[in-house]
Amino acid sequence: MSMQEQSLDAAGAPAIEIVQVHKAFGSLHVLKGVSLTVMPGTVTAILGPSGSGKSTLLRMINQLETRTGGEIFIEGELVGYKPLGNGGLRLLDDKEVAAQRSKIGMVFQRFNLFPHMTAVENVMEAPVHVGGVAKREAREQALNELDRVGLADRANYYPAQLSGGQQQRVAIARALAMHPSIMLFDEPTSALDPELVGEVLAVMRQVAKEGITMVVVTHEMGFAREVADQVVFMDQGVVVEHGGSDIIDHPQTERFGAFLKSVL
Ligand code: ADP
Ligand code: MG
């Protein structure tokens, strides 16, 4: 059975399947044949030094970057292209891209909230303007999402009136408001003061418990050790090591061992 047929098999189909993905920016080859399988409802932690291609890989899963080579499947469906009957492919149109992207929520290092909107307005924005949900209903749902991240009492605050940790929790609520089956987190706590990291990780733990598939780029080893089902160590555009969270305590390669020493 081919890789694609496997992906399309509903029973046990991966949430995300990345097959030999390459990415070059001009002559800079940043991903050099990355493969990764993420099963539904699991948490994958991606570790690795700055510049190793972690953000590029996440952005590619969410079609914020095109790929130079390889294939990505989300819930068995080829990302970015439609397979044609004759064995060829065509690029997806904007509507098809939007439909694929709607399965994915993304949280960035910088919170990227709309500064002129309150917390609840930030969370409502996509359901109203992308999802076509009526305002009153969207507000009600947004308040529920804010409650989920422990910020029901901050609904009418503007981003500037919130701490970095609270802003990041609003960003998580905003992503959850579109009911994604997959959440991508790109160093969600790296821009935070140390005392604010814990509250964001706590919300992420809770999201993981709810069974949403998560891929998290992080330097928080405690979180990775405790929450991740799968740990992936990338360096210089390749996956150097992957396994269960136990590999954090038992690195098999010198490069991963050296990296762990540098972050602990
Ligand atoms: P990481 O997230 O692991 O720090 P990135 O994926 O951000 O790594 O970057 C990997 C490499 O790709 C880096 O050398 C970075 O400078 C380069 N890069 C990322 N985005 C672009 C871009 N849009 N144009 C050119 N180079 C880029
Ligand atoms: Mg990055």
Side-chain angles (χ1 to χ4, degrees):
M1 193 160 53
S2 76
M3 186 79 76
Q4 187 167 347
E5 280 163 342
Q6 271 177 28
S7 299
L8 292 170
D9 180 2
I16 305 170
E17 181 142 39
I18 298 170
V19 186
Q20 282 296 317
V21 158
H22 286 255
K23 177 67 179 181
F25 293 106
S27 61
L28 186 66
H29 201 172
V30 302
L31 294 176
K32 303 167 185 166
V34 171
S35 296
L36 179 65
T37 301
V38 176
M39 296 308 289
T42 64
V43 177
T44 296
I46 301 182
L47 316 178
S50 177
S52 54
K54 306 179 301 293
S55 294
T56 302
L57 185 65
L58 276 201
R59 291 169 58 78
M60 216 171 268
I61 294 171
N62 202 18
Q63 302 188 60
L64 297 172
E65 299 284 359
T66 56
R67 50 191 185 273
T68 312
E71 293 172 315
I72 299 177
F73 299 89
I74 302 290
E75 295 170 352
E77 201 177 283
L78 181 63
V79 165
Y81 300 88
K82 185 151 188 92
L84 301 173
N86 62 9
L89 297 171
R90 69 159 171 82
L91 278 172
L92 297 184
D93 62 34
D94 291 350
K95 211 171 158 186
E96 291 167 326
V97 169
Q100 282 190 336
R101 294 194 63 211
S102 71
K103 297 174 185 169
I104 298 175
M106 193 158 179
V107 176
F108 301 88
Q109 182 173 342
R110 285 264 146 223
F111 331 121
N112 299 321
L113 297 178
F114 301 112
H116 59 290
M117 293 183 188
T118 61
V120 69
E121 286 167 353
N122 265 280
V123 178
M124 290 167 61
E125 167 68 19
V128 170
H129 290 105
V130 182
V133 178
K135 267 197 174 167
R136 175 196 285 267
E137 192 187 334
R139 178 176 290 273
E140 212 164 283
Q141 287 175 8
L143 290 171
N144 283 335
E145 297 300 343
L146 285 173
D147 192 36
R148 210 164 152 192
V149 299
L151 289 173
D153 59 338
R154 294 290 187 275
N156 296 316
Y157 285 52
Y158 286 89
Q161 299 172 308
L162 299 171
S163 74
Q166 289 170 335
Q167 289 182 53
Q168 192 61 304
R169 285 151 64 196
V170 174
I172 294 171
R174 187 174 60 172
L176 290 172
M178 292 298 279
H179 307 296
S181 54
I182 297 169
M183 286 280 285
L184 308 176
F185 295 85
D186 192 357
E187 299 199 36
T189 60
S190 295
L192 297 176
D193 292 334
E195 72 273 19
L196 303 177
V197 168
E199 65 189 71
V200 173
L201 293 180
V203 167
M204 290 168 63
R205 273 193 194 93
Q206 184 197 316
V207 174
K209 271 198 199 123
E210 292 170 10
I212 296 178
T213 307
M214 290 175 38
V215 181
V216 186
V217 175
T218 185
H219 295 297
E220 292 294 329
M221 293 306 142
F223 177 82
R225 192 184 274 115
E226 185 192 331
V227 181
D229 301 289
Q230 170 172 241
V231 171
V232 175
F233 172 64
M234 285 180 64
D235 193 14
Q236 297 182 19
V238 297
V239 172
V240 175
E241 232 181 278
H242 71 101
S245 59
D246 54 304
I247 69 170
I248 293 172
D249 296 308
H250 305 284
Q252 299 297 305
T253 61
E254 219 169 286
R255 272 152 96 184
F256 190 26
F259 171 78
L260 288 165
K261 280 208 185 87
S262 76
V263 293
L264 288 177

